[in-house]
Amino acid sequence: MLLGDILLQNNAVSSESLEECLRDQKKTGDPLPRILFRRQAMTPDVLADVLSKHLNIQRVFLDQTKPDPAALKEVPAKVACHYHLMPLESEDGGLKVAMAYPLDLHQLDEIRIVLKKDIVVVLATEHEIDKAIKDYYGIGAATLEKLTDDQSAAKPVDETVLLNDLDQAQDASVIKLVNQILLEACQSRATDIHLEPYQDDVRVRYRIDGVLYDAKISDSLKRFQAAVTSRIKIMAGLSISEKRLPQDGRIVVRVEGKELDMRVSTLPTPFGEGIEIRLLTSRQLLDLEHLGFAGKDLHLLESYINKPHGIIFLTGPTGSGKTTTLYAFLKQINKPDRKIITMEDPIEYQMKGITQVQVQPKIGLTFAQGLRSMLRHDPDVMMVGEVRDLETAEIAIRVALTGHMVFSTLHTNDAASAVTRLQDIGLEPYLVSSSVLCLIAQRLVRTICHQCKAKSKPTSEVKKEFHLSEKDTDTFVFYGKGCEACKFSGYQGRTVIYEILPVTNEIRDLIMERIPANKIRDKAINDGMQTLRQCGWDKIIRGITTPDEVLRATLQDTI
């Protein structure tokens, strides 16, 4: 019996919807289930339940089922991928396998011949099988097996491709393997890919929401390390013959119809070249509200970034989202009547309507030199990626004093420490007090997954850290239980926690007197500044993040 007849017989889909899907199938050639799901005529779970009932086959949930290691060894990855099945149990010379559509009797006979075993079929959804194959065999497992069988494929690739479509199906090759690694990173919302060579293996890790996770990948990747490295270097326009020096490059690929910018950096190690790939997409260019700035703080910040002149410093450690916030500033004020120039190292996001300059220290184009040249182009707003030395700081400050708006960053732990940092590198207090509009410190914290969010009472430790009374029974905090949507981490996405220190007349007086940062901080708090931890607590009780995340990000902070 055909699948359509089974669905009609079980009232799983209307005849009208089925006819539309069948017409679509004739045009596209796609499998009927895929068309049904795309048109939302039914869900994968409903189809699995219908087939289970009609065929009298057991329905299993692979996220709750752990395959037998012996069964996994009996089915090569390329067989599992080709026939789209997941081995579960090996017993009495037979094999239990999960399949999504076990309707083709010829295919079932073919599987028995290939595996030389009798098979017992159980039902699972296509998505569950895809995920299980990836989890237990690893990313690109079938490709690696095919490459192992064909040793000639391990030779370095020599095609020059600067624009790839990662969705395009290809034969087993190093090209396909690299695409699978990149595609998995994109689908996992990773911001970075780390390929780390060691003596006996190559470790692949993805950074998701600021945390590194090991990617499941076959140990045989080590055999093709040189070919994979060469492929990535060719895609990034790097020299494949230079293996002794670090190199930096860029890849532009298409993923699901969208362009994705990747920054590639290589690093020579005793066991081959380590590779770091930063994934950048235009969708990451959010406005201030979506980044996590809210309420009166958002209005205060908007009033500062729209001022005609002055300088705003963003502070925080590496990876705290300072550059993303700077881009949000630029996005907010990017209008036809304003000339905006940036000096960056590197340029992370391409922005239309803004002149962006890449720092090139090797040829003398430093931040300081770039700033001098930028002034000749009559800018209204200038963004300096980072103030690292006295020369850059002095020029940036003087530019702000001469009628320009300047945005920049510093590496300090809190907002008040930016004042002492500027003075430590040699700036005179009068220059700082007269040019700086406000100082912003920020951190990134993970947000709770909406799919598995739950609430609980705060622990004694949390009450102590956030200065709550032990008798407080009305306050609740939230956490994520962990589910498939968040890869069982309990978190999905990130938001910013921050403190904004406006440079008021009182603060200017303290700067002129070279008062220590802790005194400036105390004065700002007395004037109403919300600290990083206070901002974090506000997001905890609103159910956005957890106490653990805020405490991790604000170890040196207190309420």
Side-chain angles (χ1 to χ4, degrees):
M1 184 179 287
L2 296 175
L3 176 59
D5 297 330
I6 295 173
L7 297 177
L8 288 175
Q9 185 177 320
N10 287 272
N11 297 317
V13 66
S14 67
S15 57
E16 293 83 4
S17 294
L18 180 61
E19 286 176 9
E20 289 177 3
C21 291
L22 289 172
R23 283 197 295 270
D24 197 347
Q25 185 184 31
K26 287 180 181 178
K27 294 177 183 176
T28 64
D30 291 340
L32 180 59
R34 194 168 297 166
I35 297 171
L36 288 165
F37 303 151
R38 186 168 64 225
R39 285 178 165 270
Q40 299 182 342
M42 68 187 319
T43 65
D45 286 317
V46 169
L47 178 58
D49 291 340
V50 167
L51 290 177
S52 174
K53 178 182 175 182
H54 182 84
L55 301 174
N56 195 26
I57 294 176
Q58 179 189 355
R59 165 79 160 96
V60 297
F61 297 91
L62 295 184
D63 57 344
Q64 303 169 14
T65 306
K66 189 172 182 180
D68 180 3
L72 290 170
K73 289 180 181 178
E74 292 186 31
V75 180
K78 58 186 177 184
V79 173
C81 292
H82 179 74
Y83 293 107
H84 205 252
L85 59 85
M86 185 65 199
L88 298 178
E89 293 179 23
S90 179
E91 50 187 20
D92 301 328
L95 196 64
K96 181 188 284 188
V97 299
M99 298 183 70
Y101 317 115
L103 298 172
D104 189 338
L105 297 179
H106 295 293
Q107 187 186 64
L108 296 178
D109 289 338
E110 193 175 311
I111 294 170
R112 292 185 179 97
I113 294 169
V114 170
L115 296 178
K116 298 177 182 177
K117 282 185 172 293
D118 190 25
I119 61 169
V120 176
V121 177
V122 294
L123 271 166
T125 66
E126 186 175 5
H127 172 71
E128 289 174 343
I129 293 171
D130 283 337
K131 186 176 183 301
I133 290 173
K134 201 178 294 179
D135 288 345
Y136 291 100
Y137 285 104
I139 301 163
T143 307
L144 281 167
E145 278 191 7
K146 180 71 170 64
L147 287 170
T148 303
D149 294 340
D150 182 8
Q151 291 299 315
S152 64
K155 294 177 182 177
V157 183
D158 59 1
E159 297 99 329
T160 300
V161 180
L162 297 180
L163 185 65
N164 265 346
D165 190 336
L166 299 188
D167 305 324
Q168 186 177 350
Q170 295 164 324
D171 295 332
S173 65
V174 172
I175 295 174
K176 183 178 180 181
L177 175 62
V178 170
N179 283 0
Q180 287 171 327
I181 292 171
L182 299 180
L183 186 59
E184 174 64 18
C186 298
Q187 293 174 341
S188 301
R189 299 181 300 105
T191 55
D192 298 86
I193 307 170
H194 297 263
L195 279 81
E196 304 162 338
Y198 298 100
Q199 186 170 5
D200 300 318
D201 66 343
V202 177
R203 189 181 192 186
V204 179
R205 293 195 286 175
Y206 296 142
R207 189 177 294 280
I208 303 169
D209 295 332
V211 178
L212 280 172
Y213 295 90
D214 277 314
K216 173 73 174 176
I217 201 155
S218 171
D219 294 338
S220 60
L221 178 63
K222 181 67 178 178
R223 299 176 63 179
F224 306 99
Q225 175 187 331
V228 168
T229 300
S230 294
R231 172 59 185 165
I232 294 172
K233 289 171 74 174
I234 286 169
M235 292 175 74
L238 304 178
S239 169
I240 61 173
S241 60
E242 180 54 76
K243 301 178 181 179
R244 300 166 300 169
L245 294 173
Q247 296 185 70
D248 294 301
R250 177 188 176 200
I251 303 172
V252 178
V253 297
R254 293 190 70 82
V255 183
E256 297 172 351
K258 298 178 182 178
E259 274 198 11
L260 183 69
D261 207 357
M262 299 185 179
R263 302 304 160 89
V264 180
S265 179
T266 68
L267 194 67
T269 77
F271 308 109
E273 291 175 278
I275 296 177
E276 202 279 342
I277 304 174
R278 170 70 58 88
L279 283 70
L280 305 168
T281 62
S282 58
R283 61 182 170 81
Q284 289 174 289
L285 282 176
L286 303 173
D287 55 39
L288 291 170
E289 188 173 2
H290 284 96
L291 286 178
F293 294 93
K296 60 182 179 61
D297 291 325
L298 177 61
H299 296 303
L300 177 65
L301 204 51
E302 288 175 340
S303 71
Y304 277 122
I305 65 176
N306 281 291
K307 286 186 180 297
H309 56 83
I311 187 165
I312 296 175
F313 281 107
L314 271 164
T315 76
T318 301
S320 59
K322 300 187 298 297
T323 303
T324 303
T325 302
L326 284 179
Y327 278 111
F329 289 175
L330 298 180
K331 179 183 176 184
Q332 185 108 350
I333 63 173
N334 186 11
K335 296 173 183 175
D337 61 347
R338 282 181 176 161
K339 170 78 171 183
I340 303 174
I341 307 179
T342 71
M343 177 65 60
E344 306 172 57
D345 186 20
I347 297 172
E348 294 196 10
Y349 303 99
Q350 303 284 347
M351 294 189 73
K352 189 175 181 180
I354 292 176
T355 303
Q356 296 174 270
V357 182
Q358 167 74 54
V359 172
Q360 303 276 4
K362 291 180 181 178
I363 59 172
L365 182 54
T366 61
F367 279 113
Q369 180 60 45
L371 267 169
R372 291 192 190 95
S373 300
M374 286 161 67
L375 282 171
R376 300 190 197 96
H377 288 256
D378 187 29
D380 297 296
V381 180
M382 301 167 71
M383 192 261 276
V384 185
E386 183 183 347
V387 169
R388 300 173 179 173
D389 52 52
L390 175 59
E391 188 181 14
T392 306
E394 201 163 37
I395 297 171
I397 293 287
R398 292 190 185 279
V399 165
L401 288 172
T402 55
H404 302 82
M405 189 68 199
V406 182
F407 303 134
S408 192
T409 68
L410 283 169
H411 286 285
T412 61
N413 290 323
D414 59 27
S417 296
V419 174
T420 51
R421 170 61 61 85
L422 291 170
Q423 292 176 351
D424 287 344
I425 63 177
L427 276 180
E428 291 296 327
Y430 77 90
L431 289 174
V432 178
S433 65
S434 57
S435 62
V436 179
L437 296 174
C438 74
L439 303 160
I440 306 160
Q442 70 173 60
R443 303 286 189 277
L444 289 176
V445 293
R446 291 182 290 174
T447 53
I448 301 170
C449 173
H450 291 292
Q451 304 283 344
C452 58
K453 185 176 178 180
K455 72 177 181 178
S456 68
K457 293 285 188 181
T459 64
S460 296
E461 182 185 353
V462 169
K463 287 182 177 180
K464 180 181 177 182
E465 290 287 349
F466 290 96
H467 297 184
L468 301 178
S469 169
E470 282 293 340
K471 297 178 181 179
D472 187 339
T473 57
D474 298 328
T475 302
F476 288 92
V477 296
F478 298 83
Y479 69 98
K481 294 180 178 178
C483 64
E484 187 176 333
C486 61
K487 295 187 179 293
F488 301 95
S489 67
Y491 299 98
Q492 193 171 39
R494 288 191 289 178
T495 189
V496 68
I497 59 173
Y498 55 87
E499 61 184 30
I500 301 174
L501 194 163
V503 181
T504 61
N505 290 331
E506 292 83 359
I507 297 293
R508 287 192 181 94
D509 292 340
L510 296 179
I511 294 172
M512 289 296 293
E513 296 172 16
R514 294 185 181 270
I515 298 296
N518 62 319
K519 301 292 184 182
I520 295 175
R521 176 182 168 83
D522 291 343
K523 173 61 179 171
I525 292 172
N526 289 335
D527 289 346
M529 183 185 80
Q530 181 178 247
T531 67
L532 285 166
R533 189 164 287 191
Q534 286 171 334
C535 181
W537 177 248
D538 179 59
K539 296 199 173 188
I540 289 169
I541 59 176
R542 286 164 55 197
I544 296 172
T545 189
T546 64
D548 288 344
E549 275 296 289
V550 174
L551 292 174
R552 176 187 62 81
T554 61
L555 287 175
Q556 298 181 336
D557 191 22
T558 60
I559 292 283

